[in-house]
Amino acid sequence: MNISEDQLKDLVQNIVRQVITQNRIDTNSTGSTDKGDWGVFDDMNDAVEAAFEAFLLFKERSKQCRKTITDSVRQMTLDHKEELARMTVEETKMGRVDHKIAKLVNAATNSPGVEYLHPQAWSGRNGLALDEYSPFGVIGNVTPSTHPGPTMINNIIIQLCAGNTIAFNPHPSAKKVNAKVIQLANQYMVKAGAPKNLVTCVAEPTLETAKILFGHDKVELLSVTGGPAMVDMAMAYPKKAICAGPGNPPVLVDETADLTLAATEITQSASYDNNILCIAEKEIFVVESVFDAFMTEMEKAGNARLSTYQMDELANKALQLSGKHWIIGRDYAGRNANVLAKAIGLALSENVPLLFGETDRNHPWVVAEQMTSCIPVVRVKDFEDGLEASLKAEHRFKHTASIFTKDIIRATRFTRVLNCDVHTINGGTLRGDGGDLGEGYFSHTIATPTGEGICTPLDFVRKRRIMIHDALRFV
């Protein structure tokens, strides 16, 4: 059997560590120290400890080795995309299988990698200064139910490329598919020469296991994609947190816009995986002089128009008040347009992308991050009125917004006033996250509350400087 230099180094270090720590290692009848099933553990403490043991080996690996290992995760995703997509829809009851497959492929092919980790050097009369990037250690990671597989795969790639290992607390509603991703990822990575348990998770995630993860002394950094309560909880711990929070992206369509383009782009983007991405359009504001023409274009794009009464009726069934906030009911989140239509007595084809209809600007459909296949359209007087309405609807989350206009001055002002991490002009909001639909790198972690925006491996490393005084200057 051929053993690589990295694998030999892992073997030697593992033996030495086992000898040193023998008195604290629990063994089973076979003498194995691994309590998990390819990274899936019954106890969160065991999951973190296993990820930490793996980090002690992984931190010695080269950047090229990290690339080889994360490339195996990309390949695993492509090999199992249909299986993981079906599992996700079956378990979460949200989204469409074909869109889940596309999201998995996008995560596998467009997640940024080690190419972002370029060291910097300065040479001058005082010597040489060098900035390098080093990992934090074990990252405590929370993933959502809306796109559990792609988020986990994206985070595995960008966070392992940065040299870290990860312990996950998946959303309870997606625990089976996330456990499958963990197991497959570890199997592929070990075949590629990786240590065991570079990524781990707990089999039965709960709020209590999340608290254990956040508070564990061997977890150095938190990466959270979830609702406001989970984000607030993570940020309350005395450690660095990178958090992807809620969004309620508005769209403004003014009287100069190409209305056919606007309707086509919004339909493609807002209907993608039944609108469960936080970056997708959630409400549309249209200048009054072109309102009727825009509504006609939305129908031509294949969407089903509801009356104002039907929008109210569906809101009463699908939306609910939680404290001061309107939220989508669990049975309606991420559901096809025909499923929503059935709730108010309409029979539609499952191929209809969206339901849409007119509401006022204070309607629950506008205020809520509804995350389903129904989008409200609001009549505004002019650009200034639409700008004000968009700013209010976005709730100052600073997440995502878009505008359709041929006036570059208006487009500039809109993006300055909304001040979001992601903006699109004359395109669907999904294009703003790069990947298959846009330009630039892609990530499922859009860290608005903590300011990182669309994340890369650079967000998960420590920047360290070494200064060599009066030496190593060659010119």
Side-chain angles (χ1 to χ4, degrees), residues 21 42 97 104 141 182 200 259 335 381 395 438 465:
T21 61
D42 292 330
V97 171
L104 288 163
N141 208 309
I182 291 287
T200 65
L259 300 182
R335 304 307 293 270
K381 294 178 183 178
H395 302 304
R465 175 170 294 184

Side-chain angles (χ1 to χ4, degrees), residues 325-384:
H325 304 287
W326 287 97
I327 61 172
I328 185 72
R330 189 73 180 84
D331 292 338
Y332 294 90
R335 304 307 293 270
N336 289 8
N338 69 309
V339 174
L340 300 179
K342 186 177 180 181
I344 56 173
L346 299 178
L348 297 178
S349 164
E350 65 177 14
N351 295 321
V352 172
L354 292 170
L355 306 179
F356 74 103
E358 184 175 2
T359 71
D360 64 59
R361 67 189 65 193
N362 298 311
H363 198 280
W365 278 122
V366 176
V367 175
E369 185 188 16
Q370 77 273 19
M371 304 183 80
T372 200
S373 302
C374 181
I375 191 164
V377 189
V378 178
R379 199 184 295 256
V380 295
K381 294 178 183 178
D382 51 25
F383 168 77
E384 292 297 332

Side-chain angles (χ1 to χ4, degrees), residues 387-398:
L387 177 63
E388 181 181 342
S390 297
L391 183 63
K392 181 179 178 181
E394 208 276 324
H395 302 304
R396 299 188 187 273
F397 289 144
K398 298 182 179 179

